[in-house]
Coordinates of all heavy atoms in Angstrom, one line a residue:
S70 N 20.3 -10.5 20.7 CA 20.9 -10.4 19.3 C 22.3 -10.0 19.4 O 22.7 -9.3 20.4 CB 20.1 -9.5 18.5 OG 19.9 -8.2 19.2
T71 N 23.1 -10.3 18.4 CA 24.5 -9.8 18.4 C 24.6 -8.5 17.8 O 23.7 -7.9 17.2 CB 25.3 -10.7 17.5 OG1 24.8 -10.7 16.1 CG2 25.2 -12.2 18.0
K72 N 25.8 -7.8 18.1 CA 26.1 -6.6 17.5 C 25.9 -6.6 16.0 O 25.4 -5.7 15.4 CB 27.5 -6.2 17.9 CG 27.9 -4.8 17.6 CD 29.3 -4.5 18.2 CE 30.4 -4.7 17.3 NZ 31.8 -4.4 17.8
E73 N 26.4 -7.6 15.4 CA 26.3 -7.7 13.8 C 24.9 -7.8 13.4 O 24.5 -7.1 12.4 CB 27.1 -8.9 13.4 CG 28.5 -8.9 13.5 CD 29.1 -8.9 14.9 OE1 28.3 -9.6 15.8 OE2 30.1 -8.3 15.2
E74 N 24.0 -8.5 14.1 CA 22.6 -8.6 13.7 C 21.9 -7.2 13.8 O 21.2 -6.8 13.0 CB 21.9 -9.6 14.6 CG 22.2 -11.0 14.2 CD 21.7 -12.0 15.3 OE1 21.6 -11.6 16.5 OE2 21.7 -13.2 15.0
R75 N 22.2 -6.5 14.9 CA 21.6 -5.2 15.1 C 22.2 -4.1 14.0 O 21.4 -3.4 13.5 CB 22.0 -4.6 16.4 CG 21.4 -5.4 17.6 CD 21.8 -4.9 19.0 NE 21.7 -6.0 20.0 CZ 22.1 -5.9 21.2 NH1 22.7 -4.9 21.6 NH2 21.9 -6.9 22.1
A76 N 23.4 -4.3 13.7 CA 24.0 -3.3 12.6 C 23.3 -3.6 11.3 O 23.0 -2.7 10.7 CB 25.6 -3.7 12.5
K77 N 23.1 -5.0 11.0 CA 22.4 -5.2 9.8 C 21.0 -4.7 9.7 O 20.5 -4.1 8.7 CB 22.3 -6.8 9.7 CG 22.6 -7.4 8.4 CD 22.8 -8.8 8.6 CE 22.6 -9.6 7.4 NZ 22.8 -11.1 7.6
I78 N 20.3 -4.7 10.8 CA 18.9 -4.2 10.9 C 19.0 -2.7 10.7 O 18.2 -2.1 10.0 CB 18.3 -4.6 12.3 CG1 17.9 -6.1 12.1 CG2 17.1 -3.7 12.5 CD1 17.1 -6.7 13.3
L79 N 19.9 -2.1 11.3 CA 20.0 -0.5 11.2 C 20.3 -0.2 9.7 O 19.7 0.8 9.1 CB 21.1 0.0 12.1 CG 20.9 0.0 13.4 CD1 22.1 0.4 14.3 CD2 19.7 1.0 13.9
R80 N 21.1 -1.0 9.0 CA 21.4 -0.7 7.6 C 20.0 -1.0 6.8 O 19.8 -0.2 5.8 CB 22.5 -1.6 7.1 CG 23.9 -1.1 7.6 CD 25.1 -1.7 6.9 NE 25.2 -3.1 6.9 CZ 25.8 -3.8 8.0 NH1 26.5 -3.1 8.8 NH2 25.9 -5.1 8.0
R81 N 19.3 -2.0 7.1 CA 18.1 -2.3 6.3 C 17.1 -1.1 6.6 O 16.3 -0.7 5.7 CB 17.5 -3.6 6.8 CG 18.3 -4.8 6.4 CD 17.4 -5.9 6.1 NE 16.4 -6.4 7.2 CZ 16.6 -7.3 8.1 NH1 17.7 -8.0 8.0 NH2 15.7 -7.7 8.9
L82 N 17.0 -0.6 7.9 CA 16.1 0.5 8.1 C 16.5 1.7 7.3 O 15.6 2.4 6.8 CB 16.1 0.8 9.7 CG 15.4 -0.3 10.5 CD1 15.7 -0.1 12.0 CD2 13.9 -0.1 10.3
H83 N 17.8 2.0 7.3 CA 18.3 3.1 6.6 C 17.9 3.0 5.0 O 17.4 4.0 4.4 CB 19.8 3.3 6.6 CG 20.3 4.3 5.8 ND1 21.0 4.0 4.6 CD2 20.4 5.6 5.9 CE1 21.3 5.2 4.0 NE2 21.0 6.2 4.9
E84 N 18.1 1.9 4.5 CA 17.7 1.7 3.1 C 16.2 1.8 2.8 O 15.7 2.5 1.9 CB 18.1 0.3 2.7 CG 18.3 0.1 1.2 CD 18.6 -1.5 0.9 OE1 19.2 -2.1 1.7 OE2 18.1 -1.8 -0.2
A85 N 15.4 1.2 3.8 CA 13.9 1.3 3.6 C 13.4 2.8 3.7 O 12.6 3.2 3.0 CB 13.3 0.5 4.6
A86 N 13.9 3.5 4.7 CA 13.5 4.8 4.9 C 14.0 5.8 3.8 O 13.2 6.7 3.4 CB 14.0 5.4 6.3
S87 N 15.1 5.5 3.3 CA 15.7 6.4 2.2 C 14.8 6.4 1.0 O 14.7 7.4 0.2 CB 17.1 5.9 1.8 OG 17.9 5.9 2.8

Side-chain angles (χ1 to χ4, degrees):
S70 55
T71 62
K72 186 168 93 174
E73 289 68 32
E74 286 163 342
R75 296 175 199 172
K77 221 167 159 181
I78 284 184
L79 287 168
R80 288 195 294 271
R81 291 215 307 263
L82 284 164
H83 174 259
E84 200 186 328
S87 301

